[in-house]
Amino acid sequence: MLVEEVARVCASSSLFVFITRLACAAILGHGSDELRYRVVPKAATGEWQGSYCLSEPHAGSDVASMSTRAVRDGDHYVLNGRKTWITNAGVSSFATVFAKTDAEAGSRGISAFLVERDSPGFSVGKLETKMGVRGSPTGELLFDDVAVPAAHLIGEEGAGFGYAMEALDGSRPIVGAQAVGIAQGALDAALQYTTERAQFGSKIAEFQGIQFMLADMATRLEAARLLVYRACAMAEVGAPGTAKASAMAKLFASDTAMQVTTDAVQLLGGAGYTRDFPLERMMRDAKVTQIYEGTSQIQRIVIARRLLQEMTSGS
Ligand SMILES: Cc1cc2nc3c(=O)[nH]c(=O)nc-3n(C[C@H](O)[C@H](O)[C@H](O)COP(=O)(O)OP(=O)(O)OC[C@H]3O[C@@H](n4cnc5c(N)ncnc54)[C@H](O)[C@@H]3O)c2cc1C
């Protein structure tokens, strides 16, 4: 609800809130007490922002094909590699980094590490110039012989892929909440404009063609909100079926945000296409909700896999 309300006005600001939560997820769920006490209080007060480092230039949707390596050397691991598309690059104080500790073991060879900002060899690379969420920095993080204390391994070696997916299952409904917030902000603006703007001697909201658009936008938005709230409630208690419910919520809410913001621009006519109104920004911001934390295609893969598993297991 916090993310939804902030995103109603500014999607970039809402991203600051949930990306640090995503960065903390594996530490909270599987980290030692030492790691939790080191990171979580500072993240909770806002003193530290975090980054979640999964994506790489050649490993986007197929994250298990990552090439960042972590090699054990005494009481340290040495990390080498490049992470791309990292939210909070350059502003985060800590990063949860996924790297291969066993190159031959596929997804079972991935481990998770806490890397702190001042670690020698850890640097920020290219920052992206993006279509939307331009208030939130996105860029590369580079690891060049970064020595990470073995105590900063999160949970068990080789279990990192599971932690990464678990974190995303818990976070995808929050991307859905961001999408719902963006769509609500667009609907608010469209309602205000259509009840003020007059053409052909009437407020444009009095035309049935406009009312039908508003009705469809509001109905779709409400359906998205309910899917998101349901998935959040399931994720909160770790209910069976959370992964499917989360993917459905993100898929539907992000498509809704795209549809509602596009329709809202239309309802403002030329004004919607200018920067005098926030609608064009909302439309650009909505687009990313169909891409990050797994694209809409990947959400469909998750949903279909779970459906088929349920069918074969008879549940
Ligand atoms: C603003 C922004 C912030 C981000 N923040 C982070 C972050 O903080 N941390 C992080 O780790 N990552 C982050 N990402 C990365 C994001 O998660 C990836 O962009 C996303 O997972 C897609 O990967 P990709 O861009 O490599 O696309 P690709 O995987 O190359 O996909 C390209 C296209 O192919 C489709 N596709 C791929 N595989 C299949 C398939 N099997 N079936 C059907 N279609 C398929 C995709 O859906 C997409 O349409 C961010 C991205 C953006 C844009």
Side-chain angles (χ1 to χ4, degrees):
M1 282 175 169
L2 169 67
V3 167
E4 181 186 336
E5 278 304 300
V6 176
R8 193 169 177 172
V9 183
C10 177
S12 294
S13 304
S14 73
L15 188 48
F16 283 123
V17 180
F18 70 84
I19 202 70
T20 295
R21 181 195 172 280
L22 178 63
C24 286
I27 298 170
L28 272 169
H30 306 281
S32 62
D33 285 349
E34 184 201 331
L35 283 190
R36 288 189 203 149
Y37 284 122
R38 193 172 178 88
V39 173
V40 179
K42 287 188 181 132
T45 59
E47 186 183 340
W48 275 12
Q49 289 201 42
S51 285
Y52 173 87
C53 304
L54 194 58
S55 305
E56 297 184 3
H58 301 292
S61 300
D62 179 16
V63 288
S65 67
M66 68 173 60
S67 53
T68 297
R69 296 271 180 277
V71 177
R72 181 89 190 228
D73 181 13
D75 58 356
H76 282 76
Y77 285 87
V78 179
L79 264 66
N80 278 289
R82 180 153 67 115
K83 295 289 179 181
T84 45
W85 302 113
I86 303 305
T87 300
N88 274 352
V91 301
S92 51
S93 300
F94 74 97
T96 295
V97 181
F98 297 90
K100 285 249 166 98
T101 38
D102 181 348
E104 309 304 318
S107 63
R108 290 198 188 86
I110 294 171
S111 303
F113 298 90
L114 165 70
V115 179
E116 294 184 14
R117 185 195 186 111
D118 52 6
S119 309
F122 177 37
S123 61
V124 179
K126 178 182 167 230
L127 292 174
E128 304 295 340
T129 305
K130 308 192 297 295
M131 173 195 280
V133 287
R134 290 168 65 91
S136 162
T138 313
E140 287 180 328
L141 291 180
L142 311 174
F143 303 86
D144 184 12
D145 281 337
V146 179
V148 176
H152 286 200
L153 169 73
I154 301 168
E156 287 174 29
E157 194 176 294
F161 185 77
Y163 302 160
M165 294 304 118
E166 184 184 84
L168 291 176
D169 286 345
S171 188
R172 282 174 179 155
I174 306 179
V175 178
Q178 182 186 41
V180 166
I182 296 170
Q184 184 65 60
L187 180 60
D188 294 344
L191 281 168
Q192 185 169 352
Y193 189 86
T194 55
T195 49
E196 287 170 2
R197 171 79 172 166
Q199 287 292 281
F200 300 100
S202 300
K203 298 285 193 259
I204 58 171
E206 288 163 22
F207 300 131
Q208 197 178 45
I210 299 282
Q211 289 179 359
F212 281 8
M213 280 179 76
L214 290 168
D216 285 348
M217 288 158 77
T219 305
R220 226 185 135 133
L221 172 54
E222 209 51 41
R225 179 175 282 120
L226 291 176
L227 273 178
V228 165
Y229 287 6
R230 172 174 167 266
C232 285
M234 290 173 74
E236 188 85 356
V237 296
T242 297
K244 186 176 77 179
S246 296
M248 284 176 164
K250 180 182 183 284
L251 174 66
F252 191 80
S254 59
D255 284 355
T256 297
M258 206 57 238
Q259 179 77 53
V260 169
T261 54
T262 306
D263 286 349
V265 168
Q266 188 69 21
L267 287 174
L268 269 73
Y273 201 65
T274 70
R275 295 204 169 177
D276 293 343
F277 291 84
L279 278 313
E280 61 82 34
R281 169 176 59 80
M282 291 169 167
M283 188 175 158
R284 289 185 285 106
D285 289 346
K287 184 64 203 168
V288 80
T289 65
Q290 295 179 315
I291 296 174
Y292 58 22
E293 298 202 16
T295 63
S296 294
Q297 286 84 353
I298 296 303
Q299 304 312 317
R300 287 187 170 90
I301 291 173
V302 172
I303 295 163
R305 255 189 212 148
R306 299 283 165 164
L307 267 180
L308 297 171
Q309 274 169 9
E310 285 165 15
M311 204 189 83
T312 48
S313 71
S315 60

